[in-house]
Amino acid sequence: MKRRSYMMLLGFFLSLILTLVPMAGNFTNAATPTAVTPVSALSFTQGVQKTVLDNGLTVLTKEVHTAPVVSVQVWYKVGSRNEVKGENGISHQLEHLMFKGTNDRPVQFGRLFSALGSQFNAFTSYDETAYFGTVQRDKLEALLTLEADRMENSLIGPEQLTSEKRVVISELQGYENSPGYRLSRAVMRAAFPNRAYGLSVGGTKADVEQFTVEQVRNYYQTYYSPENATLVITGDFATKPALKVVQETFGKLSQRPKKNTTLPNARRAIDNSSASSSVADASPSTTVAKKAPIVLKQPGSAALLQVVYPLPDIKHPDVPAIDLMDAILTGGRSSRLYQALVESGLASSVSGGAAELIEPGWYEIDATAAPGQELGKIAQVLQESLVKLQEQPVTSEELNRAKTQLQASYILGNQDITSQANQLGYNQTIAGDYHFIERYLAAIAKVTPAQVQKAAKTYLNPAQQTIGFFEPTQPDGKPGTSSAGSSRTVENFSPGKPVDPAELAKYLPPATSETDSNKQSLPEEFTLKNGLKVLLLSDRNLPTINLSGQIDAGAEFDGNQKAGLANLTASNLMNGTQTKNALTLAKTLEDLGAGLSFSASREGTSVSGEGLSANLPILVQTLADVLENATFPADQLELSRQRALTSLKVQLDDPRGLGRQVFQQAIYPENHPFHSFPTAESLKTITRDDLLAFYQTHYRPDTTTIAIVGDFDQVKVKALLNEVFGKWQATGKPPVLKIPTVPFPQTLTQLNKVIPGKAEAVTYIGYNGISRKDPRYYAALVLNQILGGDTLASRLGTEVRDRQGLTYGIYSGFAAGINPGPFLIQMQTAPLDAQKAIASTLALLKQLREQGVTEAELNAAKRSITNSYPVDLANPSDVSSIILDNAVLGLSRSEIREFPRRIQAVTMANMQQAIEDLIKPENLVIVTAGPGNSVTKGS
């Protein structure tokens, strides 16, 4: 099951999954799957005020005074649905150009947002393009000013379009690296041959290359107009003065005169043709011949299956029943398709999602085959499961579980104001009314088993399905071959001067005031008698619980011969205890819409849990049960081993995964825990006895830390923790590793790994770095912000991405944990651009080493980090992770409050020392993975 608001989000940085808003009032959820209490729908939109300006702009405001931050979002009702063949991707191309500056502010807008400390993003989807930023409340007017400016005055000229075309093509070619993307594109084209939804949201390289300035400007003039947009403001502000600012900034914008009606008419023709693809006649009696499967035989890793069925639009009365049908089929471990395909060993994963959009959409099911399993067999079992759903009503237990999961996910997925604004913008833009959520949730509560069965009969029609198979052609799990690179690059590159923050400041709207960041509540910290460390932070604003934990049972204890042991142990914890089998454990949580998961990283096994506050006892009891009483059934170990082998093949077929492994193994010697990566051989040698021994040795209360943030009484939670964990005891002292010191590489080293069938190369550049407790850490963070902390605002981003257009994204970072992790720079480029991008990066590092940074850059970077920090603290889930990490890393519990002060205390002398110690352009390891022509011959 995917989130209901199904989207393909192609934007800057990370894709964002939009969900539904949290509520302001109380929520009572079912304690059992037999009594579902409907969500009070009004609470989702309570306090929202809708204002329509004279120019047609819709403004939605919602005051949420839980944290001193605000979110500003602008949603335009235009996406790939508005495109025709030949201009596929123009919505996405325009999204990129909206960051290139305006007539009055001819500067990269990412730099302006970064200077404000905004956590910002943008995405293009089928029906909409959205831009959003979340900042401290005193920056509200500044964000409104910038968004209004680029709604009317964006620079769309030859220079901007030329450089951003290269960036977009780099992004699209990066997607081409994914077999799943290529399969989905083929399936969607076949499913919707005459509709815009059959086009790729991001576009095609061929179309992007042909875009003209006039074409993109015309598209901008046609769709980026106040009457075609919704402005959403949520957070800590006062409505009346905020609307006054909106009137002063957006109110002066005029509606656009529409130009060039030829393209809109062409679009209309495509839209009208959708009637022939409607699901109105999608009944079981339809006699249309089944389509032959689409089969892609290409280089890749795992075998994939995708099935698509046509659906109605978002306003259709069947939508609630369809979403519950999806939850019953793919919602968690207890779902029908997980049990039929994954638990049977046929598939490594299965997921589903309903795309309910402005026009009739689709339902999609995706599965990844387990090693050695045939896609035809998976398709057969899948179809049998769908037929059973059509022929027999679902049980009340299944339906109530699905309802509860949907209700809980809407609340848990929207604990922050950014998500609340997302949902308002989504409903207003796609459904035409932000109140849509009220009708939707009321309908969810009333859906009957008969309605779910009817939805399955109507929409899961084999005659209307489009099915695709991806069959990989390269040998299973074989990493790419190596092509030796030179230790020197070809180009002699001279970077431009760094951007002067003082010059940037000319274009920056003023903030209204400073926000006090010293009011963050501190967690209560205590240790149980058995040594288990606990941090509690009560937050009564929402009826939710966020649990984070870490056990000192990470992959650093694996060793090369048993690489993968820590992760196999963690992934098997929920497979059974002394009193509950895997399905019972899953139902215990899924009946309540709660979640609990474990994953092993280098330095520990992390625990992630969430649920509604009423269900905290069951969440904690389940956690204690698996930590103390896991049984590691042999049959489940074999299934998880097969999934791990599939994941390994996918990793070795991904330039990011393979490149990172080669990079890390080139930095760390074989006797270092960070050198170890799972192999097919190591995974196959791990036995159940190995898991039991690892579990008994490393899963101990005195190496476990738990942080809980949310709506609870601390006295009651203390008593609960003492009760459920009281019997968990450890003997002796916990294992301790001696980590060897890793020097810088002796010389610059360059490696190239070839993966067949890839379109884009991924490059890693760096060496061993620092630990979190290193006294240079805060200076390193500020230094990194200047160098590559933000792909739109940093030196690397400005030069390699923005000016030269060589990469969709370039970032740098210090992986500073308990032990020193790598300092690395990562970028994605076209194969033939890799060397130039590497040379540019090396030149920038040399420039930084030789010339340092300016006082203005230092102050701007410090402001950006400290201004952004309150946004992190506005999300309870993030707060839970932050206080856990601080505790695990041996920092004071007051670090959550002191962090901004420590950043502000960084001096120029600190920066100069950090550059001298940590920037070594002559000692880098450079690894490029992807197509075989990434390194120039003779280089």
Side-chain angles (χ1 to χ4, degrees), residues 107-169:
V107 63
Q108 165 59 253
F109 262 45
R111 293 182 210 134
L112 298 177
F113 293 136
S114 182
L116 292 172
S118 176
Q119 293 189 6
F120 65 99
N121 208 322
F123 70 83
T124 303
S125 190
Y126 298 101
D127 295 331
E128 76 277 19
T129 307
Y131 304 82
F132 42 98
T134 303
V135 292
Q136 290 188 87
R137 61 189 173 204
D138 59 301
K139 313 298 191 307
L140 171 59
E141 185 172 342
L143 271 191
L144 291 171
T145 301
L146 292 175
E147 289 294 354
D149 188 18
R150 66 176 174 174
M151 179 178 280
E152 184 164 84
N153 304 308
S154 281
L155 282 174
I156 301 173
E159 181 183 347
Q160 291 84 12
L161 182 58
T162 298
S163 70
E164 212 59 31
K165 271 187 184 182
R166 293 191 70 180
V167 171
V168 167
I169 290 169

Side-chain angles (χ1 to χ4, degrees), residues 425-559:
Y426 182 77
N427 280 343
Q428 184 65 36
T429 304
I430 310 306
D433 182 5
Y434 73 91
H435 285 292
F436 172 79
I437 182 63
E438 300 164 11
R439 299 189 296 274
Y440 173 79
L441 288 172
I444 285 285
K446 296 175 182 176
V447 170
T448 65
Q451 287 174 308
V452 174
Q453 184 181 17
K454 181 186 174 186
K457 286 181 178 179
T458 303
Y459 301 110
L460 302 180
N461 184 348
Q464 293 216 335
Q465 78 172 11
T466 305
I467 187 167
F469 297 153
F470 180 87
E471 298 178 355
T473 57
Q474 71 190 59
D476 286 348
K478 300 295 184 187
T481 58
S482 292
S483 173
S486 162
S487 63
R488 292 282 178 260
T489 54
V490 178
E491 291 86 351
N492 180 17
F493 178 77
S494 179
K497 288 184 65 176
V499 175
D500 182 3
E503 180 71 15
L504 193 68
K506 294 191 307 186
Y507 306 116
L508 204 60
T512 54
S513 64
E514 288 296 324
T515 301
D516 182 7
S517 59
N518 289 321
K519 294 181 179 178
Q520 170 63 38
S521 300
L522 299 182
E524 180 183 0
E525 184 176 326
F526 58 92
T527 303
L528 303 185
K529 290 181 180 178
N530 58 9
L532 190 150
K533 186 184 289 186
V534 179
L535 299 108
L536 298 179
L537 184 59
S538 181
D539 179 354
R540 311 309 286 264
N541 290 306
L542 288 168
T544 60
I545 294 298
N546 294 274
L547 184 150
S548 299
Q550 180 156 315
I551 305 134
D552 295 346
E556 62 185 0
F557 291 107
D558 278 357

